[in-house]
Amino acid sequence: MAGRDKPDLPAHRSLFRTILAPTVWAVHFLFVYGFSAVWCAKDWGAAGTLSWSITAATLLALALIVGLAVAMWRQWDYMDDNDYIHDLSTDEHRREFLGHAGFMLACLSFVAVVFSTMPAWFAGTCL
Amino acid sequence: MTRRAAAALCLLSLLALAACTGPQSALDPAGRDSATLSRLFWFMLAGAAVLWAAMNGLMFYAWRVDPRPMSVRGARTLIFAGGVVLPTVVLSGLLGYGLSIMPDQRAPGDGLRVEVTGEQWWFRVDYWPDGAAEPIRSANELVLPVGSRSEITLKADQVIHSFWLPSLGGKTDMIPGRVNRMSLEPTDVGEFRGQCAEFCGESHAWMAFTAKTLSPDDFAAWLTAEAAPAAPPRTDLARSGRDAFMAQGCGGCHAIRGTPARGQVGPDLTHLGSRLNLAAGALEVTRPDLIAWITDPSAIKPAARMPAYDHLDTGTIAAMAAYLEGLR
Ligand SMILES: [Cu+2]
């Protein structure tokens, strides 16, 4: 089925879906900073436990981001027509543009979430 | 630019290298932490140089060596490899390396404990030897033993300051109402210079301190001397200077242990004469500098929190300077 004949669902027109992955990144980032600060200030326990909690949050965030990346990859539908230029005002081009942008944002968010977790692996202490 | 001008510029830029050594350089390390930091710097610089050369090499290749257009496929692969894969790999490596030195930088100190408080615009320095009930108080100078890790507690009085002693380690903010910490492990004996690294008011640029590192034995001897009360004045001039110091109320702000002067508003002056700097690095402990300072502190450090004594006759001020200079 050619791209232009594929169904164009409301979700395909959603800008919000496109930026969901960076939103997961933002929430994860806030969680890592806020949780570590409170954990260390309140002396809730060993820094090792903190580091594991952050890693768990990271795995959750990465799973969400991978799920979104797959959804956006499908919406981009690159394998169908190898199309990566979306400059026409048609449903297909809008759908594939948003999918393409969302997919790349998801990849960026994946790397970013890993990067903001790395300090927790290395620091090793609350000091 | 002509070739000659370019060559001259290159030579001039070599001059900048002269700033790489000296008493206040992270590139001339005298401690374990600063050595790690300078290694980090050279590693990053080497990486940047390789990337810079590679980018310019590619540019040269595309412009001069083979200016024919690439295939669309090849260009896409190049953009993906050079724009996505390479930065991700390189940044992960650099971030990992940078983070891997963090635990050492934050290691707890198991040697001497010192508390440094940022004031406007000077440093209060309290030594807490093992088991001490009261600190040995000094100011504007930090003396540390070589070969052990000293634990340094950082506080601030009114505004945020930052404690930075590049020859020995990284910098850490001093924040009112909060206790920060760092630890330093000097490896070389020497004299160094530190600087407040967070804007803290009019005289921020004049808020510096000196650091001295000593062998453990020398340090123990120094600490014993530092703990002792001030030396009594030995000359008539110094004696009249002491009397003037007490009569003028200097002791309301300054403490000189072993005398009635007990004030804690300004720096402790008990062993001022043995220190390497006056007024947080603005001057030296010499008689002319002491006279200039007492006469009008704000002329030297804008808005300094000490009143001017230019209403006193020069003889009285000179006598006080003689007294203070003798406080070894
Ligand atoms: Cu300051």
Side-chain angles (χ1 to χ4, degrees), chain B residues 54 66 151:
Chain B
D66 186 6
E151 174 78 10

Side-chain angles (χ1 to χ4, degrees), chain A residues 78 82 84 107 111 114-120 122-127, chain B residues 72 76 87-88 91-92 95-97 99-103 106-108 181:
Chain A
Y78 179 67
N82 286 14
Y84 64 96
C107 294
V111 176
V114 173
F115 278 10
S116 38
T117 311
M118 280 169 73
F122 282 98
T125 108
C126 270
L127 291 177
Chain B
V72 172
R76 260 196 258 164
T88 308
L91 286 179
S92 305
L95 182 63
Y97 174 68
L99 288 172
S100 71
I101 67 172
M102 254 170 49
R106 298 141 67 88
R181 64 165 291 277

Side-chain angles (χ1 to χ4, degrees), chain B:
Chain B
M1 196 171 7
T2 66
R3 249 157 228 263
R4 190 170 297 196
L9 233 140
C10 279
L11 273 177
L12 264 179
S13 67
L14 278 181
L15 274 181
L17 285 178
C20 291
T21 57
Q24 190 182 322
S25 171
L27 300 180
D28 188 7
R32 206 160 300 288
D33 308 274
S34 49
T36 312
L37 289 178
S38 83
R39 212 159 35 239
L40 177 74
F41 171 79
W42 290 114
F43 182 86
M44 295 282 181
L45 185 68
V50 170
L51 284 179
W52 185 85
M55 284 313 294
N56 282 282
L58 273 180
M59 218 134 83
F60 186 74
Y61 178 80
W63 252 336
R64 296 285 166 83
V65 181
D66 186 6
R68 285 167 304 158
M70 266 176 127
S71 72
V72 172
R73 217 189 154 70
R76 260 196 258 164
T77 316
L78 185 69
I79 289 174
F80 184 73
V84 178
V85 179
L86 185 74
T88 308
V89 171
V90 170
L91 286 179
S92 305
L94 291 180
L95 182 63
Y97 174 68
L99 288 172
S100 71
I101 67 172
M102 254 170 49
D104 286 343
Q105 294 284 314
R106 298 141 67 88
D110 47 10
L112 174 74
R113 195 162 83 71
V114 192
E115 183 178 301
V116 184
T117 309
E119 307 273 347
Q120 275 169 320
W121 290 274
W122 55 284
F123 294 90
R124 193 188 294 278
V125 183
D126 285 353
Y127 297 86
W128 289 90
D130 261 348
E134 268 188 19
I136 301 169
R137 179 155 284 179
S138 180
N140 298 330
E141 185 173 78
L142 181 64
V143 184
L144 295 175
V146 161
S148 63
R149 188 163 275 282
S150 298
E151 174 78 10
I152 298 171
T153 309
L154 300 169
K155 296 181 174 174
D157 181 34
Q158 309 254 318
V159 299
I160 301 181
H161 304 271
S162 188
F163 179 90
W164 190 33
L165 185 49
S167 306
L168 295 186
K171 73 178 166 223
T172 306
D173 279 1
M174 314 168 102
I175 301 170
R178 204 193 132 86
V179 181
N180 275 351
R181 64 165 291 277
M182 73 188 302
S183 66
L184 291 174
E185 187 177 339
T187 47
D188 300 357
V189 170
E191 287 172 4
F192 311 100
R193 186 179 186 278
Q195 170 72 44
C196 174
E198 179 73 48
F199 182 73
C200 55
E202 291 95 326
S203 274
H204 159 67
W206 294 108
M207 182 169 167
F209 62 100
T210 42
K212 221 177 348 189
T213 53
L214 301 174
S215 70
D217 289 345
D218 289 352
F219 179 79
W222 175 85
L223 195 64
T224 312
E226 187 69 16
R234 260 185 256 144
T235 62
D236 286 340
L237 183 65
R239 270 187 286 273
S240 74
R242 175 195 54 196
D243 297 344
F245 185 94
M246 303 304 162
Q248 292 301 327
C250 309
C253 288
H254 294 287
I256 299 181
R257 289 196 301 277
T259 77
R262 297 239 155 75
Q264 296 296 338
V265 177
D268 185 298
L269 303 177
T270 307
H271 297 292
L272 181 73
S274 65
R275 283 204 238 135
L276 295 173
N277 77 82
L278 181 68
L283 299 168
E284 282 169 39
V285 193
T286 60
R287 215 164 299 181
D289 279 10
L290 276 162
I291 291 173
W293 176 257
I294 299 167
T295 307
D296 191 359
S298 323
I300 291 155
K301 287 173 76 163
R305 302 276 161 98
M306 166 168 156
Y309 287 86
D310 47 7
H311 54 280
L312 299 180
D313 63 88
T314 50
T316 310
I317 294 181
M320 287 197 281
Y323 169 56
L324 294 172
E325 195 191 17
L327 294 175
R328 297 200 177 271

